[in-house]
Amino acid sequence: MRYFGSGPALQFAKYAIIGLTANALGYVSYLLITWLGVGHKTAMTGIYVVTITMSYLGNKKITFSHQGEIGSTYFKYWIVYFGCYVFNFCTMYIVVDLAGYRHQYVQLGLILFDAPILFLLQKLWVFRGVRRSA
């Protein structure tokens, strides 16, 4: 079954829909967890794991129509997102803990900053290879 076409702009639109859905759920969960008293870096870490798995499944099947093995792409996906996680964690430490900015806004900004970079890494490395035929 073919999903919505395959051009780069349409592919990015599908990525954006999956990303917005996963990140909206993740961000609302993040706000709730921090409101309940969990620290911002701890909340970010827990939400990150859940959001990565949700977005992996959607991006593999819908955005990139990838039929290859789950093992290798999932491992690459985690490498990409681990790098992003380290960047986000360090940014939270510097901008929130040291500089005193509000964690809610910093986390939202990081989500928006990371999105295009993560798309390119997924397109060019993680899901590069086997695609579904039209």
Side-chain angles (χ1 to χ4, degrees):
M1 174 182 251
R2 191 168 167 194
Y3 293 93
F4 315 116
S6 61
L10 194 50
Q11 192 175 48
F12 187 79
K14 290 186 281 186
Y15 169 81
I17 290 168
I18 290 167
L20 286 171
T21 302
N23 282 298
L25 291 170
Y27 187 64
V28 168
S29 299
Y30 169 83
L31 292 175
L32 177 62
I33 291 168
T34 56
W35 180 77
L36 292 171
V38 175
H40 57 275
K41 292 188 298 290
T42 302
M44 179 196 72
T45 300
I47 294 301
Y48 214 79
V49 172
V50 174
T51 303
I52 288 172
T53 301
M54 285 176 28
S55 66
Y56 169 79
L57 295 171
N59 284 322
K60 182 182 187 312
K61 183 171 183 157
I62 297 169
T63 303
F64 298 102
S65 301
H66 194 272
Q67 286 187 339
E69 294 291 323
I70 288 178
S72 65
T73 56
Y74 197 56
F75 181 71
K76 289 177 183 178
Y77 204 84
W78 271 97
I79 290 172
V80 166
Y81 275 85
F82 181 74
C84 184
Y85 168 79
V86 170
F87 172 76
N88 288 359
F89 190 90
C90 292
T91 301
M92 290 285 257
Y93 175 73
I94 293 166
V95 178
V96 175
D97 296 343
L98 299 180
Y101 287 89
R102 294 182 60 116
H103 67 90
Q104 298 91 336
Y105 302 124
V106 175
Q107 180 63 22
L108 183 59
L110 286 168
I111 291 169
L112 298 173
F113 176 81
D114 295 340
I117 296 165
L118 291 169
F119 173 76
L120 288 174
L121 289 169
Q122 289 175 55
K123 182 173 180 60
L124 300 174
W125 185 55
V126 175
F127 295 112
R128 184 178 180 181
V130 180
R131 307 261 187 258
R132 292 184 187 168
S133 58

